Amino acid sequence: MRGMRVQAKGFARMALFALAMLMLLVAIWMCAGKAYAADSAGEASPDALQAASSAEPFSTDTAPQLLQTAAKAAAPKVTYRVRYQYKKWESWKKNGQLAGKAGSKKTINGLSLKVKGVKGLAGGIKYAVKEVGAGWQAWKANGKVAGGGNGSGIEAFRAKLTGKLAKKYHVYYRVQMQGSGWQTWRFNAQVAGTPAKGSRIIGLEVNLVPKNAKSFKARTGWVSIVNFSNLGSPQANYSALNSVISSKRMTIVNIKTNLKVAHALKPNSNKVVNATGRKIVVTDNGSGLFTNDSTAAKYTNLVRLTIRGGLWRNANIAACNASGHSLIRLSFASNIELLDFTIKDGYQNHAVELIACKDVNVCNVKLLASGKCPSDCTNDQLQIDLADHVAAPSVPAKLCNGTPSKNFFVYQSTFKGARGLGCNWAYANAKHCKASNYHSNIVIKNCIITGKTSEALSVFNTKSATIEGNTIKTYAPLDRDAYSVGCHVAYMDGSGPASSASNVISIGNNVVYGGRQAIYVYTHNDSAFGTVYVYGLTATNLGYGTK
């Protein structure tokens, strides 16, 4: 009997253990099923995966792999490889892996892409490159080599999907540029890189992403995708949209409808705002549309912001004309891209003001002033500024240390204002009129720049600049004296940089219409310019006379 009781107790323990194991397996099966269902519906967000990984043994790195195995098994994969200048091909990479040597001096002069695992989806991938000193090459497809035509390196890249594959997936990609770092993510034939700048690509990442996905896993972390539509009121739009772009997460925002927003949006780093074909209006006429709150006198307060496409404006241009605001005002920022959009604003405001910024691309934008323009107005539609309390009063006083701007590339854009485009100086603060406060490496190419009551283009306290292939025209009357110059380049009062062959001002192949002079290059201090080239000039002194 005693032996039977012992045996019964043993069976009971085994039964309890078996029941516990069964319950554990059911629980695991249910959690995995929920995670898989969410992933299949495009809902596998970083937040959900973080919650799933909060219990051992998962981590944020391994949880996506374990929970999404079934979904990934059926998904197509993009593979790609790159070739260094005069070197062999790298091995094939796939699904967001790094191709190239990030941070190195090795530039890419050839690349190839393919899509694998496409079942029941006819189609493939096409891609094109632009080499330095040449135009865009023809589209290549499905593993054929793009690049290598002149051996000078690739400065721009774009890719797109074809056939039924393009109806189900997007192709996302980003590049690292020589000397300026990683750009933000592009997709579906958007241009990555900087055409005509001469900077070369040294790194490439490519991902295929389902069209209904709300995020995707990149090499450096999750990227959120937000498709934003009108919520009904300017305040509701502002609150929701600002919450998205002010977050710390890497985010791509696609604006799907016309919008009104109540106040200026405050983007955080690693943001893309796509607004192509949309009109965005700010109803608070004195607040602007984009701004940031810098907390340190460093270029890293805001890093990697792209604003692409759309018509941006105030609700009432006449009402805000004297407010002295800027529709886009950014300070102490780097890797900023302003692409393919139009801003309409008043003459007495800046459409875009960039204060103590570096590595900035402004390409194919139109900044157009309208309304009343006072006869003595000098406000630029695009102002490149330094951190000074008078020149840039929006910057907190503790950060006004005279930090200049550098590495600007302004290309194929139109500026129409009291002054079209200007590089500003600390005109009321001798403390910031020194060599360390001078802007550098400002490139302005193939633009149309117009001034109504001031110079069309002023480049003040800038030690190195390229002004090439532009049409520059001022309508300022002769009684405006120096303000009637078409293209005004000057070292202003104070002390400037020592004369150096590396400090080059190059003014070439421009068509310039001026009043007192078409082009005026002058130093108001004891410092001489390094090297100045003026060539290929078509110049006209309009001489409008006095009013």
Side-chain angles (χ1 to χ4, degrees):
M1 292 292 292
R2 183 177 178 182
M4 293 178 64
R5 284 196 298 269
V6 171
Q7 189 175 24
K9 287 181 181 180
F11 282 132
R13 291 192 188 98
M14 293 176 62
L16 287 172
F17 179 79
L19 180 60
M21 290 299 297
L22 179 61
M23 293 175 67
L24 178 61
L25 289 171
V26 169
I28 292 173
W29 175 81
M30 291 178 67
C31 290
K34 289 179 181 178
Y36 171 73
D39 182 64
S40 299
E43 300 288 337
S45 69
D47 292 338
L49 290 167
Q50 178 66 42
S53 64
S54 60
E56 295 292 334
F58 298 127
S59 71
T60 52
D61 291 328
T62 58
Q65 299 171 8
L66 294 172
L67 298 180
Q68 299 181 43
T69 301
K72 287 186 176 180
K77 296 178 176 62
V78 60
T79 62
Y80 46 98
R81 62 175 181 166
V82 300
R83 179 182 60 201
Y84 297 126
Q85 240 168 338
Y86 314 118
K87 299 291 182 179
K88 294 181 179 180
W89 285 93
E90 261 196 353
S91 60
W92 287 94
K93 302 298 189 295
K94 64 181 180 180
N95 295 350
Q97 292 177 336
L98 171 64
K101 299 290 185 183
S104 76
K105 295 182 180 180
K106 295 182 178 180
T107 61
I108 294 170
N109 80 334
L111 53 84
S112 178
L113 291 86
K114 296 187 290 187
V115 175
K116 293 183 176 181
V118 180
K119 296 181 179 180
L121 291 176
I125 188 166
K126 286 187 175 182
Y127 41 95
V129 301
K130 183 184 181 303
E131 294 181 299
V132 174
W136 280 97
Q137 294 184 5
W139 289 94
K140 301 295 192 298
N142 303 331
K144 292 184 178 180
V145 177
N150 60 14
S152 61
I154 295 171
E155 65 180 0
F157 163 79
R158 55 189 175 188
K160 62 182 180 180
L161 301 177
T162 62
K164 291 184 178 180
L165 184 64
K167 296 180 179 180
K168 297 289 186 180
Y169 287 86
H170 291 305
V171 56
Y172 283 86
Y173 45 92
R174 68 171 186 161
V175 299
Q176 186 183 39
M177 302 303 297
Q178 185 181 38
S180 60
W182 285 100
Q183 293 186 343
T184 56
W185 289 94
R186 270 65 162 164
F187 72 110
N188 297 356
Q190 291 177 345
V191 174
T194 47
K197 185 178 180 180
S199 178
R200 294 159 175 82
I201 294 174
I202 60 175
L204 173 68
E205 296 173 8
V206 187
N207 281 273
L208 284 189
V209 181
K211 280 196 169 182
N212 62 350
K214 294 185 178 179
S215 62
F216 65 92
K217 182 73 180 295
R219 181 178 60 90
T220 54
W222 282 93
V223 180
S224 295
I225 304 170
V226 177
N227 295 320
F228 193 91
S229 297
N230 187 11
L231 297 178
S233 74
Q235 183 60 44
N237 289 332
Y238 162 75
S239 297
L241 188 53
N242 194 59
S243 176
V244 170
I245 70 170
S246 64
S247 71
K248 294 183 179 180
R249 186 177 300 159
M250 193 180 301
T251 305
I252 300 167
V253 181
N254 302 311
I255 297 179
K256 294 295 188 179
T257 60
N258 295 339
L259 294 178
K260 290 183 178 180
V261 294
H263 309 290
L265 303 166
K266 295 187 176 182
N268 209 330
S269 296
N270 297 308
K271 298 295 183 294
V272 179
V273 180
N274 292 312
T276 301
R278 309 303 175 196
K279 181 169 72 173
I280 297 88
V281 176
V282 60
T283 56
D284 180 353
N285 292 313
S287 75
L289 274 162
F290 288 95
T291 189
N292 70 310
D293 296 326
S294 296
T295 57
K298 300 178 180 179
Y299 292 118
T300 54
N301 283 264
L302 175 65
V303 181
R304 281 182 296 277
L305 169 67
T306 299
I307 303 172
R308 180 193 297 273
L311 169 61
W312 304 78
R313 56 168 295 166
N314 288 106
N316 189 331
I317 290 177
C320 73
N321 198 21
S323 67
H325 77 281
S326 303
L327 271 178
I328 297 177
R329 176 188 282 143
L330 305 174
S331 61
F332 292 105
S334 59
N335 294 95
I336 304 300
E337 297 178 290
L338 307 178
L339 310 172
D340 308 323
F341 61 69
T342 298
I343 288 181
K344 293 186 177 180
D345 199 10
Y347 279 99
Q348 297 181 73
N349 305 313
H350 305 300
V352 176
E353 181 183 10
L354 301 172
I355 307 161
C357 293
K358 75 167 187 174
D359 299 330
V360 175
N361 295 326
V362 181
C363 298
N364 196 32
V365 305
K366 295 180 180 179
L367 309 183
L368 308 174
S370 61
K372 183 180 179 180
C373 182
S375 60
D376 61 347
C377 187
T378 61
N379 282 1
D380 329 76
Q381 283 300 289
L382 171 60
Q383 185 173 80
I384 300 171
D385 219 336
L386 74 162
D388 177 79
H389 70 282
V390 176
S394 64
V395 176
K398 66 178 182 179
L399 303 183
C400 289
N401 63 351
T403 299
S405 291
K406 60 183 180 180
N407 303 341
F408 273 62
F409 182 64
V410 184
Y411 179 64
Q412 283 188 340
S413 295
T414 300
F415 309 99
K416 173 192 171 187
R419 179 188 281 142
L421 190 160
C423 298
N424 204 12
W425 69 294
Y427 48 87
N429 187 359
K431 181 180 178 181
H432 295 153
C433 293
K434 300 176 182 178
S436 59
N437 309 123
Y438 273 50
H439 308 300
S440 60
N441 193 25
I442 308 299
V443 178
I444 304 165
K445 286 188 175 183
N446 299 351
C447 295
I448 299 171
I449 309 170
T450 305
K452 187 171 184 177
T453 54
S454 186
E455 306 103 323
L457 172 63
S458 64
V459 181
F460 297 152
N461 286 15
T462 301
K463 61 185 179 182
S464 52
T466 299
I467 304 165
E468 187 175 281
N470 305 285
T471 298
I472 303 168
K473 187 173 185 178
T474 182
Y475 291 93
L478 283 173
D479 63 359
R480 292 283 287 150
D481 197 21
Y483 291 114
S484 72
V485 173
C487 175
H488 191 174
V489 179
Y491 282 5
M492 306 304 280
D493 296 337
S495 60
S499 179
S500 169
S502 63
N503 294 339
V504 177
I505 302 293
S506 179
I507 306 172
N509 299 323
N510 301 284
V511 177
V512 187
Y513 300 85
R516 196 186 75 178
Q517 290 100 7
I519 295 177
Y520 185 54
V521 181
Y522 190 78
T523 178
H524 297 270
N525 60 50
D526 293 335
S527 297
F529 287 96
T531 304
V532 177
Y533 298 106
V534 180
Y535 60 93
L537 173 66
T538 300
T540 302
N541 280 53
L542 295 176
Y544 284 106
T546 58
K547 288 189 176 180

